Amino acid sequence: MKNLWIVANWKSNKTIEEALEWVGKVGPKIKKEDFLKVVVCPTFSVLSEVKKAIQVGNFPLLVGCQDLSPFDKGAYTGEESASLLKQLVDLAIIGHSERRYNFGETDQQIENKLTRASQADIIGLLCVQGNETPVPKGCQLIAYEPISAISTGLDNTPGSGQPEDPLNASSIATFFKQQHGQDLEVLYGGSVTGKNVKQFISQKEINGVLVGNASLDATEFIKIVEEAINGA
Ligand code: PGA
């Protein structure tokens, strides 16, 4: 059975207490299945507490970060390098539109980050905005997130909250697989909720979802996971 990825992108949200409450609610509800890859991506400041709580509870949850340094460890004040993050994470979201927009991340920096992730044996989840976003060689997991579909605006203003048409998302996924090989896994992201997740997951070419706003609420996220499994 093909993998089903459900990735929670908390963005810049949640205190340690809120994060642990979420793990305590969601963890016990996730079934241990080989095909199911449920990943929670907290802020750096709560990563280690979240990781510990998942280990203590023996929950089948993977941990991810939302960015990493384009450099190796060393004299790079303020940076989180892949080789150090490997202690805590399995996956890293790389090149999210909010980072491209607010921090001026370039395709070259993003490629460097993907290389660092791969060298540290961290799965790089590259966010692409459309057909024109370059996918570096060797990248195995991407998330198609059209800017117009992200539930908040890129500068934290209200967004459209309108998800992409699932058929369009599927044709973009097909395009990337034709370009980069059928082993490439393609997720969809942008205003995914418990109500609409099935429409995306039921598309043959879509291998999962990247969920922002709706992942913050434990009950809603559990619903997303359940509905996604039903739709797979
Ligand atoms: P959203 O965010 O689900 O709130 O639209 C998705 C993302 O930006 O990763």
Side-chain angles (χ1 to χ4, degrees):
M1 191 165 179
K2 63 177 190 166
N3 287 333
L4 172 61
W5 292 89
I6 302 159
V7 182
N9 175 12
W10 285 356
K11 307 190 178 183
S12 198
N13 289 294
K14 286 199 190 294
T15 61
I16 293 176
E17 195 183 336
E18 289 163 347
L20 294 182
E21 190 187 332
W22 187 99
V23 173
K25 283 187 185 158
V26 172
K29 299 283 186 193
I30 308 298
K31 294 197 195 95
K32 193 168 169 29
E33 306 274 9
D34 281 347
F35 72 89
L36 184 62
K37 313 281 182 204
V38 181
V39 190
V40 57
C41 301
T43 57
F44 290 125
S45 56
V46 305
L47 262 184
S48 105
E49 292 290 336
V50 165
K51 172 82 177 175
K52 250 188 271 168
I54 289 171
Q55 282 174 334
V56 169
N58 197 21
F59 301 134
L61 279 171
L62 300 170
V63 181
C65 51
Q66 303 167 16
D67 183 32
L68 49 71
S69 175
F71 301 104
D72 198 357
K73 67 181 157 88
Y76 299 103
T77 302
E79 285 298 273
E80 294 282 356
S81 77
S83 55
L84 297 179
L85 281 165
K86 178 59 189 167
Q87 302 171 98
L88 298 171
V89 305
D90 309 288
L91 174 147
I93 298 172
I94 294 177
H96 190 281
S97 291
E98 287 152 16
R99 296 211 56 85
R100 294 177 194 260
Y101 179 81
N102 293 302
F103 303 95
E105 278 190 14
T106 63
D107 289 329
Q108 184 57 58
Q109 284 168 332
I110 289 165
E111 185 172 344
N112 296 347
K113 291 179 181 202
L114 284 166
T115 305
R116 293 291 169 196
S118 153
Q119 285 167 345
D121 203 21
I122 293 172
I123 299 164
L125 168 55
L126 170 68
C127 297
V128 302
Q129 300 176 327
N131 287 350
E132 68 292 345
T133 307
V135 174
K137 218 166 157 266
C139 183
Q140 289 297 304
L141 187 65
I142 66 172
Y144 165 53
E145 281 204 338
I147 293 173
S148 61
I150 298 178
S151 71
T152 39
L154 293 182
D155 50 0
N156 197 35
T157 51
S160 72
Q162 282 301 314
E164 168 77 298
D165 178 332
L167 289 176
N168 286 349
S170 175
S171 57
I172 299 276
T174 305
F175 167 83
F176 277 108
K177 289 183 186 197
Q178 281 165 353
Q179 299 287 311
H180 301 280
Q182 294 300 316
D183 287 343
L184 179 75
E185 294 179 287
V186 185
L187 317 188
Y188 166 75
S191 299
V192 171
T193 62
K195 274 207 187 110
N196 63 30
V197 65
K198 247 189 189 170
Q199 298 169 28
F200 292 98
I201 295 299
S202 58
Q203 305 293 327
K204 194 168 122 294
E205 303 298 340
I206 296 182
N207 304 95
V209 284
L210 175 57
V211 190
N213 206 29
S215 75
L216 292 172
D217 182 76
T219 309
E220 178 69 8
F221 187 69
I222 293 164
K223 184 170 171 207
I224 290 172
V225 175
E226 286 170 356
E227 290 291 306
I229 293 171
N230 289 340

